C-alpha cells in the first residue's frame, strides 16, 4: 500500500476508533450490558461488543502484511500516539503536555514535550527514549513496516531530558503531526528493545519477557484468537482523563 493511501486509510480508522473509545469510556451505544440510567448517565461496568467486518491475522498493525482498518480500531485504545485525530480532522495532543514546537529552520525540526504522568500499564513512564526507539524501528530495513513515510525524512534526534526530544529533518515535512500519532503510536522501548519487530507483537500486545499485556491507553488486549476474537480489558493503571466505564471490549 502506498504511503499516502495508507495514511488516508489510517485517518478514517482513527476517526472511527474515537467513537469506540467514547463508547467504552461512557458514551451511549447499543450493545449488551451497555444501558444507561436516567438523564443519560452511562452505566459503569459491563462489556461493549463490536462485531468486526475484518479480523486481523496478527495484532501488529504497523507491519505491511497486517495493516487492516480493524487493526486500528482494536489497537487505538491500547497504544497511544503523540497526537490523536479528532472528528473535525484536527490533531489533539495525547502523549504530549503541549503542542510540539516547530522550527522551520533550515533545518526543519520538531520538539516534543511528553506528559510527565503518561505511563505504561506496568508503571514505567513514557519517555523520550520511547519516541527515539519508535523512530529507529520504523527506519530499520530489517522490519517490514507498512510505511516509513516521514520517519525516513528524519536526519537525527536529540534527547533533551526524559520528557523532551527533538527531531531534526532532512527536509521540510508538512504532515509531521501524523508521525508517532494515532494507531501507529509510540512503542515501549523497555519492552521491545532487542526484539524482532516482525514477530514480537503478532499474537499479543504484551511484554515478551513476562507475557503480560502492555499498553499506555485505557484498555489492554488480554486475549487474541486468530480470526475469532479479540478481548480488551480496562487498564487499571490508566493515567489519562475519562476513565473507562466499560470493563471489557469484545470483538467477536
Amino acid at each position: 500500500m502506498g504511503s499516502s493511501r495508507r495514511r488516508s486509510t489510517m485517518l478514517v480508522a482513527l476517526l472511527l476508533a474515537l467513537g469506540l473509545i467514547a463508547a467504552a469510556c461512557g458514551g451511549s451505544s447499543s450493545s449488551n450490558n451497555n444501558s444507561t440510567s436516567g438523564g443519560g448517565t452511562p452505566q459503569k461496568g459491563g462489556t461493549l461488543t463490536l462485531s468486526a467486518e475484518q479480523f486481523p491475522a496478527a495484532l501488529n498493525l504497523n507491519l505491511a502484511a497486517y495493516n487492516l482498518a480493524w487493526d486500528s480500531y482494536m489497537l487505538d485504545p491500547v497504544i497511544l500516539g503523540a497526537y490523536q485525530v479528532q472528528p473535525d480532522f484536527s490533531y489533539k495532543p495525547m502523549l504530549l503536555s503541549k503542542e510540539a514546537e516547530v522550527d522551520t529552520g533550515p533545518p526543519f525540526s520538531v520538539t516534543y514535550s511528553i506528559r510527565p504522568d503518561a505511563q505504561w500499564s506496568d508503571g514505567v513512564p513514557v519517555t523520550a527514549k520511547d519516541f527515539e526507539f519508535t523512530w529507529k524501528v520504523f527506519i530499520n530495513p530489517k522490519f517490514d513496516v507498512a510505511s516509513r513515510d516521514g520517519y525516513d525524512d528524519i536526519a537525527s534526534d536529540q534527547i533533551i531530558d526524559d520528557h523532551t526530544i527533538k527531531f531534526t529533518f532532512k527536509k521540510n515535512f508538512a504532515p509531521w503531526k501524523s508521525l508517532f500519532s494515532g494507531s501507529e503510536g509510540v512503542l515501549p522501548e523497555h519492552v521491545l528493545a532487542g526484539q524482532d519487530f516482525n514477530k514480537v507483537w503478532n499474537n499479543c500486545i504484551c511484554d515478551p519477557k513476562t507475557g503480560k499485556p502492555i499498553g499506555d491507553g485505557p484498555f489492554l488486549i488480554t486475549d487474541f484468537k486468530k480470526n475469532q476474537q479479540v478481548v480488551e480489558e480496562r487498564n487499571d493503571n490508566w493515567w489519562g482523563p475519562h476513565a473507562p466505564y466499560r470493563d471489557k471490549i469484545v470483538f467477536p
Side-chain angles (χ1 to χ4, degrees):
M1 180 183 292
S3 60
S4 60
R5 180 184 172 191
R6 177 176 184 260
R7 292 199 179 278
S8 296
T9 301
M10 294 295 286
L11 178 60
V12 173
L14 291 174
L15 293 174
L16 292 174
L18 279 173
L20 165 61
I21 293 175
C25 292
S28 60
S29 177
S30 58
S31 65
N32 62 308
N33 298 325
N34 203 31
S35 62
T36 58
S37 59
T41 302
Q43 172 154 351
K44 294 184 179 181
T47 299
L48 178 67
T49 301
L50 296 172
S51 297
E53 295 176 351
Q54 297 174 312
F55 212 89
L59 290 172
N60 194 343
L61 69 87
N62 284 314
L63 297 181
Y66 308 121
N67 184 235
L68 298 174
W70 276 91
D71 288 331
S72 299
Y73 308 158
M74 295 171 184
L75 267 293
D76 202 69
V78 178
I79 301 295
L80 301 183
Y83 286 92
Q84 180 61 275
V85 183
Q86 301 301 293
D88 62 357
F89 297 96
S90 63
Y91 281 82
K92 177 183 178 181
M94 288 294 291
L95 290 176
L96 306 182
S97 59
K98 62 179 181 179
E99 289 286 345
E101 298 176 14
V102 178
D103 185 342
T104 57
F108 181 83
S109 68
V110 179
T111 301
Y112 296 94
S113 297
I114 304 161
R115 290 178 58 134
D117 58 346
Q119 65 174 3
W120 299 100
S121 52
D122 58 5
V124 175
V126 178
T127 70
K129 288 184 178 180
D130 295 319
F131 277 72
E132 179 183 61
F133 175 77
T134 302
W135 167 52
K136 290 183 177 180
V137 165
F138 273 90
I139 63 173
N140 190 330
K142 295 180 180 180
F143 300 145
D144 186 25
V145 297
S147 175
R148 293 183 171 84
D149 185 33
Y151 295 101
D152 57 3
D153 287 320
I154 297 174
S156 64
D157 75 303
Q158 177 188 359
I159 294 180
I160 298 171
D161 57 43
D162 285 349
H163 294 97
T164 312
I165 186 168
K166 176 181 178 181
F167 289 99
T168 300
F169 288 69
K170 303 170 187 175
K171 60 183 181 181
N172 287 7
F173 184 71
W176 60 267
K177 282 190 176 182
S178 64
L179 303 179
F180 309 102
S181 292
S183 297
E184 287 182 2
V186 173
L187 304 171
E189 187 268 348
H190 73 288
V191 164
L192 297 180
Q195 300 292 324
D196 183 349
F197 194 65
N198 290 330
K199 300 176 180 179
V200 67
W201 271 3
N202 287 350
N203 297 312
C204 70
I205 304 300
C206 60
D207 183 333
K209 297 182 287 293
T210 66
K212 293 182 178 180
I214 193 75
D216 56 356
F219 287 88
L220 302 174
I221 294 179
T222 57
D223 185 52
F224 170 67
K225 293 182 175 63
K226 184 177 178 179
N227 295 321
Q228 295 182 48
Q229 179 175 266
V230 170
V231 176
E232 301 182 5
E233 296 185 37
R234 182 166 48 193
N235 176 7
D236 290 334
N237 286 330
W238 166 237
W239 49 271
H242 311 301
Y245 277 86
R246 305 294 171 251
D247 295 323
K248 187 182 297 185
I249 306 173
V250 177
F251 297 88

